Amino acid sequence: MSQNQLDTKSEAWSALFSEPMSELVKRYTASVFFDKRLWQADVQGSLAHAEMLAAQGIISADDRASIERGLAQVSAEIEAGSFDWKLDLEDVHLNIEARLTHLVGDAGKRLHTGRSRNDQVATDVRLWLRSEIDLIDGLLADLQKSLVDVAEKNVETILPGFTHLQVAQPVSFAHHLLAYVEMFARDAERLADVRRRTNRLPLGSAALAGTTYPLDRERVARTLGMVDADGHACVCQNSLDGVSDRDFAIEFTAAATLCMVHISRLSEELILWMSQNFGFIRIADRFTTGSSIMPQKKNPDVPELARGKTGRVVGHLMALITLMKGQPLAYNKDNQEDKEPLFDTVDTLKDTLRIFSEMVGGQLNPATGEREGGITVNALAMEQAASRGYATATDLADYLVKKGLPFRDAHETVAHAVKAAVTHSCDLSELPLAVLQGFHPSIEKDVYDVLSLRGSLNARNTLGGTAPAQVLAQIQRHRARLG
Ligand code: ARG
């Protein structure tokens, strides 16, 4: 074995072992084929660590320079795809360190001073997740803007609002879309909160108990941008917790799960709305597929898959939370299992958000500044559906209350009127005035204003209501917020 090389991981801890790992155990314990995606964070963390070691006089300036040069080459090789990832070296950390040592000799071996893979991996996952959270934040903003754009064109479009999937009251289609904007805005808030707890430095916890070297952990935190809003370094304050805490990964996956649940609810609606029985919207052909047997079919594969993938992300949350249950302090190898669920959650969420922004709002045409290719709204079908199902019955009750009836009595009176309309197979607004007056003498000709869908919509003019004036105010608020 060469002095400067570390070609298999047993050489990293060596002399104590009397037999090599079997191939099966090597494969079972290795993580390199999935954790290599942490390489940038690993290099970033190592550079910050080396800088601090040199500043503290723990390694020489020359060693630091060699480490920087070596890590630059390692990065270039990984980027170029020429880096030789070795299963024998178990994980991303040992692979990079071995190559570094091969390139720069003893300086590479000094990089691990005052550090353990336990605090190293915890740092890498946090750095990686922090940048993913920032990307997801942008994608959430895009999706919200896309929904707001479609909403703006549909403030006056009337949709039957449902409770129990029964026609309840007419709502503005824009109002309905903005309900999802609220959900995605909360998702962004939650992620910003998770980011604060992700952005803390475990490095310096070493294996579990801290280290004997005079490290400056706050310096490393600042170098890595692990600072709070006031610029103070954010450092994990207990070494045992620092190496073993995966709360941030669980919290992130919980926030991602909730976001996927919101996507899944939207998917369910898109699927219903585009079915022949509703016919409210069409989605662009590129998000649908045909059937190999039924030539007339266009299936909503994308929203269906998003609904299905929500289950997969829920599963990842269960995996991560169960992973931590029953783990004693401090680091245990169980934690290596945090990566695949976390990575797949991030991948699934990012792809889903990207696709939904485009599927709902279309793509921005830079020439016109307009979006093209989003959902097509069939306003007539929506309005016709709203006019079936006595959606303005509550308005008639409210009308009677304004004439002095207690609400409960008004409710009962309107129930009789609805029954009569059902018997005559007509809408409430189609019952003659004389018939309506038969239910209550205070009913006058102006009742027809409240029995219309548009009258019903306009009347709900309180904060958060569906009246166009309220909806427009919300659109303005979102625009100001989203920029
Ligand atoms: N690949 C490991 C992980 O992902 C790195 C930490 C290993 N530490 C150890 N003591 N075996 O968790």
Side-chain angles (χ1 to χ4, degrees), residues 136 140 183-184 186-188 190-191 194 248-266 306-321 341-342 344-346 348-350 352-353:
I136 292 167
L140 272 171
M183 295 180 220
F184 296 125
R186 286 197 298 276
D187 290 328
R190 256 185 294 276
L191 280 179
V194 172
F248 65 95
I250 296 173
E251 284 187 63
F252 169 80
T253 309
T257 300
L258 205 41
C259 182
M260 285 299 293
V261 165
H262 297 149
I263 293 267
S264 188
R265 295 181 68 186
L266 178 57
R307 199 174 51 184
K309 283 175 191 284
T310 302
R312 165 185 181 138
V313 175
V314 171
H316 294 328
L317 175 60
M318 291 307 117
L320 285 176
I321 205 151
L342 188 61
D344 189 66
T345 298
V346 164
T348 306
L349 182 60
K350 275 167 44 183
T352 306
L353 290 172

Side-chain angles (χ1 to χ4, degrees), residues 24 60 194 202 204 211-212 223 276 283-284 332 340 357 391 406 435 463 468:
L24 177 59
S60 69
V194 172
T211 177
T212 56
T223 307
Q276 286 76 3
I283 61 177
N332 300 280
E340 286 162 294
S357 294
V435 174
L463 178 68

Side-chain angles (χ1 to χ4, degrees), residues 315-361:
H316 294 328
L317 175 60
M318 291 307 117
L320 285 176
I321 205 151
T322 313
L323 179 69
M324 293 313 291
K325 179 190 168 299
Q327 269 199 54
L329 287 172
Y331 176 85
N332 300 280
K333 186 79 168 183
D334 313 39
N335 285 342
Q336 183 164 289
E337 285 290 307
D338 63 355
K339 290 171 199 62
E340 286 162 294
L342 188 61
F343 293 167
D344 189 66
T345 298
V346 164
D347 293 344
T348 306
L349 182 60
K350 275 167 44 183
D351 282 351
T352 306
L353 290 172
R354 281 195 190 104
I355 291 186
F356 268 64
S357 294
E358 196 192 320
M359 186 171 64
V360 171

